[in-house]
Amino acid sequence: MASDRPLSRRIWKLAATLAYGRRRAHAYDWAPSLRIVPAAYGPERTIVFRNRVAGTLLPPSALSDLAGSDITIVGSGPSVRDSDLGALATRSTLLLNGAIALVPERIARPLGFVVEDERFVYRHFQTFMAGLDRSILCLFSVAVIRAVLEQDPEWLAERPVILIDNLLKPYGENRRDLAAVSRMPAVTVDAPSRSGVSLDPSLGVFQGGSVAVSALQFALFCRPRIVGFIGIDISNAALPRFYEKPGERVFSGVSEAEGRILGHIKLAKTVGEARGSAFVNYAPSSALQKIGIPYSNRLSVSH
């Protein structure tokens, strides 16, 4: 929703499109104040905001070093309300957007907090992010990093952060076409559905209608034994998220993007299973069952 962005950002979005055209309109994500530059040594990169160092970006190995044998991707769908999340191991969950509200009461220690849509920052920075435990690993897109620093230029200091870079619209570069990225190492593309999977997030990931798509590619990078899903309901995205009351409902485009989301996840399932990962869905109403991800009642409160 455009109204979720401040007027100044809507102006910048229009300006980037007019100035650069389709090939580089995504410069909006970082313009005018954000730069990402190589660190003096090592694989890290430095975040510079308004000409001041604002934080450090870690390589994706910072995630895989923490990950165990199972990773569960936790969204904000209604199914979370009735799930026994205490059955999930410590540091085994990737919490998407508002699922961070589960910490610490229902999930004591997540593996990571994943946000790629800047509109979540504009809606919920004070509610979900301002007081976040500084030790929690954050996976943020370029636009989210910029939006966070607009809210608090000190927020990223001394926090572990990994970049979610868009493989088709990378930071500092022109837009790429699907044929070009299909030739990159660790990338698998299904041209008819325009779906893709990157097993090397340092190159970037495919963004596909839901942050769950990006989180899944980071999960596969860690080569888990089991990839689980809870709160990735998709088909009932018109219902309130688990942390929302009916009158607080904020529009989600997930239902409209169902085909695109499922296309990416289906391809990721094929790639992941070939590498030894099993996929399981813990939400009885999830659309993930349409692409062959079986339901497990492991997190059911009546189990």
Side-chain angles (χ1 to χ4, degrees):
M1 294 170 63
S3 60
D4 287 318
R5 295 184 175 94
L7 176 60
S8 61
R9 290 313 304 172
R10 282 181 272 161
I11 293 172
W12 269 107
K13 191 173 183 68
L14 176 61
T17 302
L18 293 175
Y20 299 114
R22 184 175 181 273
R23 66 181 178 84
R24 207 177 175 92
H26 60 285
Y28 161 81
D29 289 349
W30 63 84
S33 304
L34 178 68
R35 289 187 295 123
I36 297 172
V37 299
Y41 56 88
E44 291 82 11
R45 287 183 284 175
T46 299
I47 302 168
V48 179
F49 182 69
R50 295 173 182 163
N51 297 318
R52 297 183 62 182
V53 172
T56 300
L57 288 174
L58 303 177
S61 59
L63 179 71
S64 58
D65 288 347
L66 291 175
S69 62
D70 296 2
I71 295 177
T72 300
I73 298 171
V74 183
S76 301
S79 61
V80 171
R81 284 195 192 93
D82 301 320
S83 299
D84 177 17
L85 301 180
L88 298 172
T90 298
R91 289 194 185 277
S92 69
T93 54
L94 290 176
L95 304 184
L96 314 183
N97 297 335
I100 195 65
L102 298 166
V103 177
E105 285 79 10
R106 297 181 65 191
I107 293 179
R109 175 61 59 176
L111 174 60
F113 171 40
V114 191
V115 186
E116 71 178 16
D117 188 339
E118 66 175 2
R119 292 173 294 183
F120 178 82
V121 180
Y122 292 130
R123 293 171 189 153
H124 298 303
F125 181 79
Q126 289 301 325
T127 304
F128 293 137
M129 300 180 71
L132 187 68
D133 182 335
R134 301 190 76 84
S135 68
I136 293 176
L137 181 62
C138 298
L139 283 68
F140 289 166
S141 69
V142 175
V144 165
I145 289 172
R146 193 214 67 250
V148 164
L149 294 172
E150 288 173 358
Q151 309 304 306
D152 181 354
E154 306 296 326
W155 197 87
L156 293 178
E158 305 302 321
R159 287 184 190 268
V161 184
I162 296 173
L163 179 67
I164 304 173
D165 203 4
N166 187 332
L167 194 60
L168 294 176
K169 301 175 184 178
Y171 168 78
E173 299 182 34
N174 289 343
R175 186 185 185 114
R176 297 167 176 154
D177 62 37
L178 203 61
V181 301
S182 69
R183 296 189 291 270
M184 298 173 69
V187 170
T188 302
V189 168
D190 178 67
S193 67
R194 298 193 61 79
S195 302
V197 176
S198 169
L199 296 176
D200 186 356
S202 67
L203 299 175
V205 297
F206 290 89
Q207 296 183 2
S210 166
V211 65
V213 171
S214 297
L216 176 54
Q217 290 165 86
F218 276 91
L220 291 180
F221 169 74
C222 300
R223 299 193 76 122
R225 179 178 64 94
I226 296 176
V227 179
F229 301 86
I230 182 65
I232 315 298
D233 302 345
I234 304 174
S235 56
N236 62 2
L239 297 176
R241 299 169 179 90
F242 77 86
Y243 58 83
E244 292 175 329
K245 298 176 182 178
E248 298 173 338
R249 182 75 185 103
V250 175
F251 172 79
S252 169
V254 168
S255 292
E256 289 80 354
E258 178 176 326
R260 180 182 176 204
I261 296 166
L262 293 180
H264 282 280
I265 295 178
K266 182 179 180 180
L267 180 61
K269 177 177 180 289
T270 300
V271 171
E273 288 177 341
R275 287 160 50 93
S277 295
F279 283 58
V280 62
N281 155 50
Y282 300 123
S285 59
S286 175
L288 295 175
Q289 294 179 75
K290 296 179 182 179
I291 56 172
I293 299 179
Y295 169 66
S296 166
N297 68 352
R298 178 188 170 209
L299 302 187
S300 171
V301 293
S302 59
H303 173 57

